[in-house]
Amino acid sequence: MVNVATARPTRADYYKVLAENLPPQALVVTSLGNASYLWAKVHDAPENFYFEDAMGLALPLSLGLAIAQPKRPVIVVEGDGGLLMHMGALVTVGAVNPANLTVLVVQNGVHAASGGQALTNASLDLAQLARAAGIASTENIDQPLALADKLRGRAARNGAECLVLATEPDLDVVRPPASFDPLLSKHRLQGAIGAPRYVHAVFGGGKLEGA
Amino acid sequence: MSGVLAAQGDAHRPSDVLSTLKRLGFGAVVSVPDGWLGKILVRIEHEPSMRLVRATHEEEALAIACGLRLGGVRTALLVQNAGVLSMGAGMVSLAQRYQFPLLMLVSYRGTPDDPVFYHVPKGRVTEPVFRGVGLSYACVDRHRPIGPQVEHAATFAEEASSPFALLLSREDIQW
């Protein structure tokens, strides 16, 4: 069990470290609530994909993105509530095990985005859970500097990595620099990575073409 | 086999589904299997040009497919209709909200000609629920070739920038 009752770093502490140590060409997916609002404030970039809702689906979407873009690091910020909601996704990540995927789990013990309601279990050892799901590189972290070390020391990995960040709950909603626009978020990222576009035929089906 | 199908030269419809996906450049399939889907998934797994991802839950599968498409890979979902019933929140809040074009090939269980009785509760609500969540769909016409129907469904998804479900009967998809 992890002690989440003692003072923990804030989400902002970890985000500062993440922004300062972001790997080149990284794509960053953030789950709903302050996970996205604060990241947009700290490091807005076309390579970000912001969730505004769809709790629990940031991790599986990131898995798909990591498979599609194997040459780019993909970093997903998921909450402990979201992870518990779709825990099966952790198993799928462990099975596919893409070496370019880093899962950052903000463990604050509450459903922060909906007002701080208690989780079903606030003190699970989520790193152990990730290990059991097949993710070999996993660790519970309670200091931003430890996250910095992990992000800097990017030795070649054989599979995905899961870092669980013990975090103080942040219940005050952060105001992002601009209102989220789901389509803009999608199109910005697709433009940044040069994703192929659908080119339609006048009659019959088209295909994805070009970059 | 019906006389109409026999007149078409005994076309193996699951083979036509797979060859159509390959021809249209689908690079990935995300699936939660059922009894009808099991064997075609093994075929897909052995296709050099395609990647099969086996998910644990259909809403998770939907999100993986959205991520693949976000990253530039044309992606199809292969799931049972029960799985579409259980992915409603992700359907509206992720796939439709962010306008991801996804081809959904859905085994239509619980119709009157499905011999497995316990699928009936899902069959009777499938189309009303699809309409309720705003999911565009079509039922395969078993008397016409399957390949063009898959292609038209894929084209609809692209032109509508949204998921499109093609409801399949056993002979369409069970290898």
Side-chain angles (χ1 to χ4, degrees):
Chain A
M1 303 289 269
V2 174
N3 183 2
V4 292
T6 53
R8 293 157 291 186
T10 64
R11 189 191 305 271
D13 295 332
Y14 288 117
Y15 271 10
K16 182 170 184 295
V17 164
L18 179 61
E20 289 169 354
N21 297 277
L22 208 55
Q25 294 205 306
L27 306 174
V28 181
V29 179
T30 46
S31 60
L32 76 169
N34 281 349
S36 280
Y37 300 149
L38 186 61
W39 186 243
K41 194 170 180 178
V42 169
H43 189 88
D44 185 40
E47 290 81 7
N48 295 344
F49 185 82
Y50 305 118
F51 270 66
E52 56 174 14
D53 192 14
M55 182 173 167
L57 299 183
L59 177 57
L61 178 133
S62 302
L63 172 60
L65 184 59
I67 295 169
Q69 292 288 318
K71 293 180 180 171
R72 286 179 179 264
V74 174
I75 298 172
V76 53
V77 181
E78 181 61 280
D80 45 0
L83 186 73
L84 296 185
M85 181 173 275
H86 267 293
M87 201 183 287
L90 204 57
V91 176
T92 310
V93 168
V96 177
N97 217 9
N100 60 328
L101 179 61
T102 299
V103 183
L104 302 180
V105 180
V106 172
Q107 187 174 28
N108 56 19
V110 297
H111 289 285
S114 56
Q117 301 87 355
L119 287 191
T120 308
N121 189 330
S123 57
L124 284 176
D125 185 336
L126 296 177
Q128 189 176 329
L129 191 74
R131 198 170 298 116
I135 302 172
S137 178
T138 175
E139 194 172 323
N140 288 306
I141 283 175
D142 60 5
Q143 292 299 325
L145 280 178
L147 174 62
D149 288 344
K150 283 285 182 185
L151 292 169
R152 284 189 204 122
R154 299 195 60 78
R157 296 194 313 249
N158 292 325
E161 181 171 57
C162 179
L163 303 173
V164 181
L165 313 176
T167 310
E168 196 65 25
D170 53 344
L171 303 185
D172 293 334
V173 177
V174 174
R175 182 178 287 270
S179 294
F180 281 177
D181 179 333
L183 291 185
L184 179 63
S185 182
K186 182 184 78 169
H187 289 143
R188 269 198 337 170
L189 188 141
Q190 289 182 319
I193 64 176
R197 289 177 169 275
Y198 177 75
V199 178
H200 65 180
V202 177
F203 298 108
K207 285 188 174 180
L208 296 191
E209 289 180 9
Chain B
M1 180 172 286
S2 74
V4 175
L5 283 179
Q8 291 170 1
D10 292 329
H12 186 247
R13 293 168 75 82
S15 298
D16 290 346
V17 171
L18 180 52
S19 62
T20 301
L21 292 178
K22 286 161 59 180
R23 181 171 58 78
L24 296 177
F26 278 83
V29 167
V30 189
S31 181
V32 178
D34 79 345
W36 293 357
L37 299 174
K39 287 185 181 172
I40 195 171
L41 295 181
V42 175
R43 297 278 177 163
I44 292 168
E45 208 157 28
H46 289 95
E47 283 295 335
S49 64
M50 299 178 85
R51 174 75 180 258
L52 176 71
V53 181
R54 295 178 182 273
T56 68
H57 185 280
E58 290 86 352
E59 191 178 31
E60 173 203 325
L62 177 74
I64 294 170
C66 290
L68 277 156
R69 184 52 195 262
L70 178 65
V73 177
R74 201 173 195 189
T75 303
L77 273 170
L78 259 70
V79 295
Q80 193 194 93
N81 51 340
V84 187
L85 300 183
S86 63
M87 66 166 71
M91 173 60 65
V92 296
S93 296
L94 180 61
Q96 293 178 358
R97 176 79 166 151
Y98 289 79
Q99 297 185 7
F100 284 108
L102 298 173
L103 172 64
M104 301 172 64
L105 300 178
V106 181
S107 54
Y108 197 174
R109 309 306 303 263
T111 59
D113 57 355
D114 186 342
V116 183
F117 67 91
Y118 55 72
H119 289 305
V120 167
K122 296 174 291 189
R124 61 182 278 277
V125 303
T126 291
E127 293 183 55
V129 169
F130 282 19
R131 288 193 289 272
V133 298
L135 173 60
S136 300
Y137 71 96
C139 297
V140 163
D141 180 346
R142 69 180 64 182
H143 302 302
R144 291 192 296 127
I146 184 83
Q149 297 183 70
V150 171
E151 179 163 355
H152 293 158
T155 303
F156 191 110
E158 297 292 344
E159 297 296 348
S161 296
S162 75
F164 184 91
L166 190 61
L167 285 160
L168 306 161
S169 53
R170 187 179 58 77
E171 61 265 33
D172 297 322
I173 199 69
Q174 188 173 38
W175 201 279

